[in-house]
Amino acid sequence: MFKDKFDLVIAANRLPVDRVREGNRSVWRRSPGGLVTAMESVMRGRDGAWIGWSGVPGKAPAAFEQDDMCLHPIALSSDEVTDYYEGFSNGSLWPLYHDVIVPPTFRRRWQAAYEKVNRRFAEAAADLAADKATVWVHDYQLQQVPQFLRELRPDVRIGWFNHIPFPPVELFMQLPARDSLLHGLLGADFLGFQRRTDAQNFLRACRQLLGEDVAVRGDLVQNGDGQVCRAAAVPISIDTRGMAELASTPKVQARAAEIREQLGNPEKLLLGVDRLDYTKGIRHRLKALEEMYREGSLNSACTKFIQVATPSRERLEAYQHIRSEVEQTVGRINGEHSSFGAPPVTYLHRSFPREEMAAMFVAADVMLVTPLRDGMNLVAKEYVAAHDDSGALVLSEFTGAATELKQSYLCNPHDIARTKRTITRALEAPDEERRRRMRAMRRQVLRHDVQHWAERFLSDLAVAPRQP
């Protein structure tokens, strides 16, 4: 019997599944991505429902169960996909929240669509939440949901978690909708951020931009209605043991050996795994490798690089531009440095099952994670969980993961010369140094896994605005 009320309701822009074709039939399949990976294990065994868009414009499918989760699709029209998702969420908020790497665009029509869709999510959550239930809202696409839900259901506990950075007030204040988004978030009991800096940026924005409308004391904000909200850092993580167990299976180990064999059994194999996004630093990474191949500090016959670039937001011009630049650079590197049948760079513009990704992590001697800005970056943690002590992680200073994985080889991806030296250090590090670093990072991700993150967030939410 399908339930209609739940003690835990998750609201996220997307459902954790995609509709795909298998032969003559259409089926739901688990989606790639950090949020789904993190929340899937959290939802298992809980009396919970997940609200989100199915990924297809038009009428929403009926609610259904998948992998022991109750999924409730939200309808988005084609215009709403254009204005709310591609427009305000990814044309205005995403670039603004990522250091304005590309200029954001602001349109009033986009803002109106964002508010309309956020109300729809709030109404769905209000309908599904049991008496005094917990509603956990996720990410930048749904920043007004807490306020709208508070108006509809003052009895529920409302938490919101931001998976991306929250910008400094000097950038955030550019946003025409800045006050409505801040008030929207202040409808929550607890706001979780990836880093302490992000929480502080939010508190400063409230203090400077809302003025006498709110009172900010430490990590607490009280709005004009007397609602008190707490903001704090609760860094997200992964299913560490699940990834480690998967990586150690004979099937994955055999596939890892096969990958290296298919590449000609290189002495060293480097790996990058990213969504194809301008924030991920793929162009900077390729430029560093191109110079190293050209200078001879990397031997194209002995050192190979795999770049997995998962398709993302392909209708947006900025994403079409980054894809073109990346593919041109890969072509140039391979054209200049390939021998017959042995290109130095293998470029894979598609997504892969979890088992194949685990095999790539196991196969790679060095993982390159070099975003220009990233809320956390779970790929870095997955590599640490999957690989043995012989691995090495080159990690951007501008990721949330850099605050936790301090034993990685940290780099500034904007500094190409220093990034090249960091890659060389990782490749040439003595075995004992690599083992020491990897063991320390593995202890960190084992202690602070996704269950620890979820339990910490939910315990913070349960007692908010007090500290647990």
Side-chain angles (χ1 to χ4, degrees), residues 140-319:
Y140 65 105
Q141 301 98 339
L142 302 179
Q143 292 179 84
Q144 290 184 282
V145 168
Q147 178 189 27
F148 298 151
L149 179 58
R150 177 70 60 197
E151 294 167 357
L152 295 168
R153 291 289 305 273
D155 63 299
V156 302
R157 303 290 293 177
I158 304 171
W160 176 83
F161 184 78
N162 196 34
H163 292 258
I164 68 173
F166 196 90
V169 64
E170 292 81 8
L171 294 179
F172 183 78
M173 66 191 303
Q174 296 179 29
L175 187 66
R178 65 194 194 190
D179 289 7
S180 62
L181 261 61
L182 292 176
H183 282 298
L185 291 173
L186 291 176
D189 297 286
F190 179 66
L191 302 173
F193 296 87
Q194 298 281 26
R195 303 173 305 155
R196 185 180 178 190
T197 301
D198 298 318
Q200 291 173 335
N201 286 343
F202 169 77
L203 293 166
R204 290 192 194 101
C206 289
R207 186 181 295 111
Q208 291 183 222
L209 302 179
L210 298 184
E212 296 180 358
D213 292 343
V214 301
V216 182
R217 297 184 301 276
D219 59 1
L220 303 180
V221 185
Q222 181 173 340
N223 64 19
D225 297 329
Q227 166 70 27
V228 180
C229 172
R230 177 170 173 254
V234 190
I236 196 171
S237 195
I238 62 167
D239 179 7
T240 309
R241 287 172 178 80
M243 174 56 75
E245 289 170 3
L246 176 63
S248 65
T249 60
K251 182 178 178 181
V252 168
Q253 290 287 322
R255 176 59 186 146
E258 185 181 23
I259 289 171
R260 293 188 71 101
E261 184 178 353
Q262 289 173 335
L263 296 173
N265 287 317
E267 292 179 12
K268 296 291 183 181
L269 178 59
L270 296 84
L271 174 65
V273 176
D274 311 87
R275 279 190 314 104
L276 189 52
D277 191 292
Y278 51 78
T279 66
K280 299 300 184 181
I282 301 174
R283 289 174 297 182
H284 298 64
R285 184 184 313 157
L286 287 170
K287 180 173 178 58
L289 293 173
E290 181 177 23
E291 291 186 7
M292 294 175 79
Y293 281 126
R294 189 174 293 157
E295 297 161 356
S297 55
L298 288 184
N299 184 325
S300 61
C302 303
T303 304
K304 306 293 185 181
F305 175 56
I306 299 174
Q307 175 63 59
V308 176
T310 306
S312 176
R313 302 167 191 165
E314 294 185 285
R315 300 201 322 178
L316 300 183
E317 183 178 351
Y319 291 80

Side-chain angles (χ1 to χ4, degrees), residues 333-345:
I333 295 172
N334 285 340
E336 292 179 4
H337 302 286
S338 291
S339 56
F340 282 109
V345 178

